[in-house]
Amino acid sequence: MLAGKHILVGVCGSIANYKAAELIRLFVKAGAEVKVIMTQDATTFITPLTLATLSKNPVLVEFVADKNGTWNNHVELGLWADVMIIAPCSANTLAKFANGLCDNLLTATYLSARCNVFFAPAMDLDMWQHPSTKRNLSSIQSFGNILIKPESGELASGLHGEGRLAEPQTIFEEISNYFKLSSDFANLNVLITAGPTYEAIDPVRFIGNHSSGKMGYAIAEEFANRGAIVTLISGPSSLSCTSKISITMVTTADEMFNETIRRSDNAEIIIMSAAVADYTPVTKSDLKIKKKDDRFAIEMKKTKDILLEVGQRKKSNQFVVGFALETNNALENARKKLIEKNCDMVVLNTLEDSGAGFTSKNDLEKNLATNKITILSKEGKVFEFPLKNKNEVAKDIVDRIKSER
Ligand code: CTP
């Protein structure tokens, strides 16, 4: 899987640097082209000469390469890489990544990189447990970077606990697996709706719902990581997505309908995870509605059902996934939706399960978005999953689509 791949290895100062040498050797043996960036501190633990010899490329440490003003271009390096792996990643560099600092070649390249970034931390157990490290960790994971967890055992300090750099073989397998998965949906067009819709009442008020969009965005990232060409139609959301995804922002159910249907013929996989308003005000006042009577009623009309339309137009090469958010008779209602909307699969979440469904803004900021889903297949199979982080739930959904398609 690694033959010809461009792997950029970042090495921070750590006693575990000897493992970086072994990791680089494994990548090169597997046929990858490897470039190494070291922080200044890393060079006190292992020499650039060692890593240059193993990687078969000069090791880069400084922005300026020599006294003649030749410089190491962090933007070019970031674009060159198919994947970037920071191993070992120190607490200091982790903090810099989390806050967008770029005071050395490694951190500047990280900021410029468009590829996926893996990071394998190594530090003493108290540093690893520190609330600031935990916060930094969840920040960089929320940017889409992938953690390769440290292991437990004896640490350089003599203490025992979590913080040891993962073994080179483990990191190597994670990266190989990433490349294997990244061809799963190669060049397939995937269309996803996400988030809420807002239906205007007047210029300052609307009817909306609590959807954050997180589930749909996580599915979009997962598909993009696995080689698909992803189009995301999103209702209002504070989330952002990587540049690999083509995103169109909409506000109303009607706009989401138009943008989705316009693109649906082209898509091989269609996933409707948006929480679309079922009703919209019949009229929208151009002026702010003034407070008058004790009671106030808004006349509403049904919106167009996007999933129903997509299901009715479905072609033989298309796989359509609906979502169902239920509060009661969950399985029965979800099955009904699957049949009525001509879906191939329905992802059910029920508010009867705590931690399932919508994510609060607070939990979103802390990267604590969770969901508990049940997947129903067209053939009547039911797959139940435990409560998980929404990024992991996205993996389960995409894996299931791969099996059912
Ligand atoms: N959906 C849609 N367009 C709508 C309403 C819903 O595409 N106007 C899609 C959702 O994105 C989801 C599925 O239909 O994939 C089910 O949505 P849900 O709100 O659970 O069900 P509804 O069909 O709206 O029915 P009800 O609200 O009565 O449960």
Side-chain angles (χ1 to χ4, degrees):
M1 289 317 297
L2 293 188
K5 296 286 187 245
H6 291 177
I7 303 182
L8 190 55
V9 181
V11 182
C12 305
S14 164
I15 196 69
N17 282 6
Y18 69 96
K19 289 188 182 172
E22 175 63 15
L23 178 64
I24 291 164
R25 205 181 65 87
L26 289 171
F27 286 147
V28 170
K29 243 175 88 180
E33 198 180 324
V34 179
K35 287 189 183 176
V36 180
I37 304 176
M38 297 175 84
T39 62
Q40 194 62 52
D41 277 350
T43 64
T44 59
F45 289 91
I46 193 165
T47 66
L49 179 62
T50 306
L51 300 190
T53 310
L54 290 170
S55 66
K56 303 183 194 294
N57 269 314
V59 163
L60 311 166
V61 182
E62 304 287 356
F63 283 108
V64 178
D66 62 29
K67 288 194 177 115
N68 301 324
T70 312
W71 65 297
N72 295 318
N73 187 330
H74 56 90
V75 177
E76 267 176 19
L77 281 166
L79 295 178
W80 171 86
D82 292 320
V83 75
M84 188 170 179
I85 160 81
I86 322 298
C89 184
S90 64
N92 184 37
T93 295
L94 197 74
K96 288 181 184 178
F97 285 165
N99 292 288
L101 297 183
C102 52
D103 59 347
N104 62 35
L105 185 63
L106 175 59
T107 47
T109 307
Y110 162 78
L111 273 190
S112 310
R114 288 192 189 163
C115 61
N116 275 329
V117 180
F118 288 73
F119 61 103
M123 62 194 77
D124 207 57
L125 84 158
D126 293 305
M127 296 169 84
W128 177 243
Q129 298 292 345
H130 198 281
S132 62
T133 305
K134 286 191 178 156
R135 188 195 56 206
N136 293 334
L137 193 70
S138 51
S139 285
I140 71 170
Q141 282 181 287
S142 74
F143 306 153
N145 304 149
I146 304 153
L147 168 69
I148 301 181
K149 275 194 183 150
E151 293 171 2
S152 254
E154 192 182 349
L155 300 161
S157 59
L159 296 172
H160 271 264
E162 212 177 4
R164 269 166 64 138
L165 179 66
E167 287 306 314
Q169 189 62 37
T170 310
I171 301 174
F172 175 80
E173 277 163 20
E174 285 245 13
I175 303 289
S176 306
N177 202 30
Y178 160 74
F179 281 114
K180 200 156 84 204
L181 286 180
S182 66
S183 56
D184 263 3
F185 294 93
N187 302 322
L188 275 186
N189 285 299
V190 178
L191 178 64
I192 301 167
T193 63
T197 60
Y198 288 177
E199 309 303 319
I201 298 169
D202 67 14
V204 292
R205 304 180 181 94
F206 62 83
I207 296 168
N209 60 66
H210 292 300
S211 168
S212 66
K214 175 71 191 168
M215 198 62 254
Y217 277 63
I219 296 170
E221 294 290 350
E222 184 63 20
F223 267 113
N225 286 342
R226 290 162 79 158
I229 303 160
V230 183
T231 305
L232 180 63
I233 314 289
S234 171
S237 168
S238 59
L239 296 168
S240 56
C241 59
T242 48
S243 57
K244 288 179 287 190
I245 296 164
S246 149
I247 183 165
T248 298
M249 300 298 297
V250 295
T251 306
T252 64
D254 199 45
E255 286 167 13
M256 189 174 273
F257 180 92
N258 292 334
E259 293 296 336
T260 306
I261 298 306
R262 200 155 72 77
R263 293 168 173 82
S264 63
D265 272 357
N266 243 343
E268 279 102 354
I269 300 173
I270 304 175
I271 300 162
M272 303 283 96
S273 72
V276 189
D278 288 334
Y279 290 91
T280 190
V282 171
T283 53
K284 177 194 155 208
S285 169
D286 291 334
L287 301 174
K288 185 182 168 209
I289 299 170
K290 300 303 272 180
K291 181 168 57 187
K292 262 193 340 229
D293 304 331
D294 283 353
R295 290 187 178 217
F296 173 69
I298 300 172
E299 197 189 348
M300 309 272 278
K301 61 176 184 205
K302 250 192 194 164
T303 57
K304 287 183 263 185
D305 193 312
I306 311 168
L307 178 59
L308 182 70
E309 180 74 18
V310 163
Q312 281 169 354
R313 293 162 162 247
K314 190 167 71 174
K315 296 186 284 188
S316 59
N317 68 334
Q318 291 186 315
F319 189 88
V320 174
V321 181
F323 269 66
L325 178 62
E326 303 295 340
T327 54
N328 56 307
N329 296 334
L331 267 179
E332 197 185 312
N333 286 333
R335 174 142 298 285
K336 224 169 110 197
K337 278 178 193 167
L338 185 142
I339 295 163
E340 281 172 4
K341 303 197 188 190
N342 195 22
C343 298
D344 297 291
M345 196 174 117
V346 160
V347 179
L348 160 69
N349 34 80
T350 155
L351 295 185
E352 286 163 330
D353 292 324
S354 72
F358 295 152
T359 302
S360 70
K361 195 161 177 279
N362 199 19
D363 279 355
L364 202 63
E365 277 161 12
K366 292 190 197 141
N367 196 25
L368 291 176
T370 57
N371 205 359
K372 185 174 181 313
I373 57 159
T374 302
I375 293 181
L376 286 77
S377 81
K378 204 172 165 183
E379 288 73 37
K381 284 182 277 180
V382 175
F383 304 89
E384 288 201 32
F385 296 83
L387 186 73
K388 290 184 181 185
N389 176 291
K390 280 191 175 168
N391 294 330
E392 288 163 14
V393 175
K395 280 196 176 71
D396 289 338
I397 293 170
V398 174
D399 282 345
R400 199 66 247 155
I401 293 172
K402 193 179 165 201
S403 314
E404 298 291 326
R405 236 180 123 241

